[in-house]
Amino acid sequence: MQEIPLGFVAGTIIKRIDWAEHLFSLRVQAPSSAFPTPAYVAGQFSKLGALNEQNEWVRRAYSMVNKPCLNGDNLELEFLVIEIPDGKLTPLLGHKHVGDEVIVGTLPAGFMTINEVPQATQDLWMLSTGTGIGPFLALLEDIEACQRFEHLVLVHAVRTQEELVYKDAIIALMKAYQGKLRYVPIVSREVVSGALNGRIPQHIQAGTLEKAAHLPLSQQHSFLYLCGNPNMIRDTRDVLQQLGYKKHLRREAGQFSFENYW
Ligand SMILES: Cc1cc2nc3c(=O)[nH]c(=O)nc-3n(C[C@H](O)[C@H](O)[C@H](O)COP(=O)(O)OP(=O)(O)OC[C@H]3O[C@@H](n4cnc5c(N)ncnc54)[C@H](O)[C@@H]3O)c2cc1C
Ligand SMILES: NC(=O)c1ccc[n+]([C@@H]2O[C@H](COP(=O)([O-])OP(=O)(O)OC[C@H]3O[C@@H](n4cnc5c(N)ncnc54)[C@H](OP(=O)(O)O)[C@@H]3O)[C@@H](O)[C@H]2O)c1
């Protein structure tokens, strides 16, 4: 094998879930000694890499879908990946199976964590498109850390129903949160019973997102995390700013923050 680049460690795929033709999860195990302690904070991202046909490493950022999980001397990290048809890495990952090796970045990073949410926040809204739901699932796994909120709203906007991933895990979380967690699926290219149709910014503007969540959005009580498609983030930011919400900065508290995936 080609020498592993600095800041990476060899990992083995221990589980693969195929949600749809181009959408899958990979659970990877890697020696925990290669990571800091704690290895990362729920909501952060690391990197995955694989060798291409030219025997060169291709590396990209991916959010962990799980909170840090130790299994003996190994760390288990789960990633949700959509295959970009002409992409450099995702088609390589798409061909990986249980037992195959990938490389994993050993320095996870990112600020979309519970600690970064202003203390005064009552309700945390997590708005995602596509694979952007991943870090929110990790946040929600940390039930103890999320107890400080009165309500949690997980919004997942996808093109088709089959892309509404991790449904069983979300149902289990809703039970564990005993009414605190609300889940609002949005499907844009199909009409699906139990899901909104359309896009996130449109539903904020029309008030239909609040209605579906059975919870009012307010500058005083709500904080919003946005994750995924940069166009969704731009359009949602515009709507929120029109409504008077401000981007959150460490030096000046606001009501929303985001992570662009590309
Ligand atoms: C902080 C961070 C976290 C990320 N976490 C995830 C994750 O958990 N899961 C995941 O699938 N991706 C995630 N990404 C995107 C990922 O890093 C890669 O960009 C993506 O997988 C495409 O890689 P590629 O080499 O196949 O495509 P490339 O050859 O790099 O082509 C990139 C082009 O594909 C498009 N693109 C990239 N990502 C997406 C996407 N998710 N949906 C639609 N179009 C896209 C853009 O037009 C981009 O310019 C994350 C990115 C960042 C910055
Ligand atoms: N999803 C698939 O069937 C599929 C299959 C094969 C490959 N891929 C590849 O995967 C990539 C990612 O697919 P994806 O479905 O996860 O991502 P996506 O294109 O980001 O779509 C996810 C959701 O975001 C919405 N969205 C897009 N732009 C928005 C905006 N400006 N404001 C608000 N919402 C917006 C989409 O609505 P709209 O539907 O209205 O755009 C959709 O509901 C694609 O670019 C493609 O290369 C996708």
Side-chain angles (χ1 to χ4, degrees):
M1 204 185 192
Q2 189 84 325
E3 197 179 334
I4 293 173
L6 206 64
F8 283 80
V9 67
T12 307
I13 296 171
I14 55 168
K15 188 175 159 194
R16 175 176 168 128
I17 308 169
D18 286 283
W19 304 102
E21 207 190 329
H22 298 279
L23 185 62
F24 54 93
S25 293
L26 297 178
R27 195 167 178 101
V28 179
Q29 96 178 5
S32 60
S33 56
F35 294 82
T37 313
Y40 62 93
V41 181
Q44 288 191 311
F45 60 88
S46 186
K47 283 181 178 172
L48 283 177
L51 283 174
N52 65 13
E53 279 184 358
Q54 291 73 41
N55 221 26
E56 300 156 341
W57 291 111
V58 189
R59 300 163 251 180
R60 297 282 184 271
Y62 293 94
S63 303
M64 279 70 76
V65 174
N66 60 333
K67 67 177 187 184
C69 171
L70 283 172
N71 186 358
D73 292 337
N74 284 314
L75 179 69
E76 292 187 9
L77 309 102
E78 189 158 321
F79 304 94
L80 171 65
V81 180
I82 190 146
E83 191 171 327
I84 311 297
D86 298 320
K88 292 197 172 58
L89 179 59
T90 50
L92 300 174
L93 295 177
H95 284 103
K96 300 279 181 200
H97 298 285
V98 170
D100 288 345
E101 278 202 351
V102 287
I103 54 169
V104 189
T106 53
L107 289 172
F111 296 104
M112 211 165 58
T113 61
I114 292 298
N115 279 349
E116 294 290 326
V117 179
Q119 277 306 322
T121 303
Q122 277 185 20
D123 305 327
L124 177 62
W125 292 69
M126 293 162 274
L127 314 184
S128 60
T129 56
T131 53
I133 190 175
F136 297 148
L137 294 173
L139 290 185
L140 287 168
E141 258 194 21
D142 199 343
I143 293 179
E144 214 181 295
C146 286
Q147 285 305 336
R148 62 177 257 214
F149 302 110
E150 252 170 55
H151 302 100
L152 298 149
V153 185
L154 176 65
V155 178
H156 192 202
V158 294
R159 296 181 184 183
T160 59
Q161 183 172 18
E162 62 180 5
E163 295 166 325
L164 292 172
V165 294
Y166 288 101
K167 268 221 161 142
D168 291 346
I170 293 167
I171 291 168
L173 283 167
M174 287 169 78
K175 277 194 190 137
Y177 278 106
Q178 299 180 321
K180 198 190 271 279
L181 170 63
R182 281 115 204 245
Y183 168 58
V184 184
I186 305 181
V187 182
S188 54
R189 301 189 188 186
E190 289 173 355
V191 175
V192 174
S193 144
L196 293 175
N197 181 251
R199 288 176 162 194
I200 290 171
Q202 157 206 341
H203 284 294
I204 294 176
Q205 208 151 27
T208 35
L209 191 67
E210 294 167 274
K211 221 172 171 181
H214 302 288
L215 191 72
L217 259 171
S218 86
Q219 284 167 38
Q220 207 187 343
H221 300 304
S222 318
F223 188 85
L224 302 99
Y225 267 149
L226 282 48
C227 185
N229 185 323
N231 298 322
M232 175 281 284
I233 290 174
R234 181 203 56 213
D235 294 352
T236 304
R237 185 197 58 201
D238 289 352
V239 169
L240 289 173
Q241 284 175 338
Q242 281 163 24
L243 294 170
Y245 291 76
K246 290 202 179 78
K247 179 175 167 351
H248 178 67
L249 302 168
R250 275 185 167 173
R251 59 183 155 80
E252 196 185 338
Q255 299 86 19
F256 70 91
S257 187
F258 51 81
E259 191 165 86
N260 280 318
Y261 268 11
W262 69 95

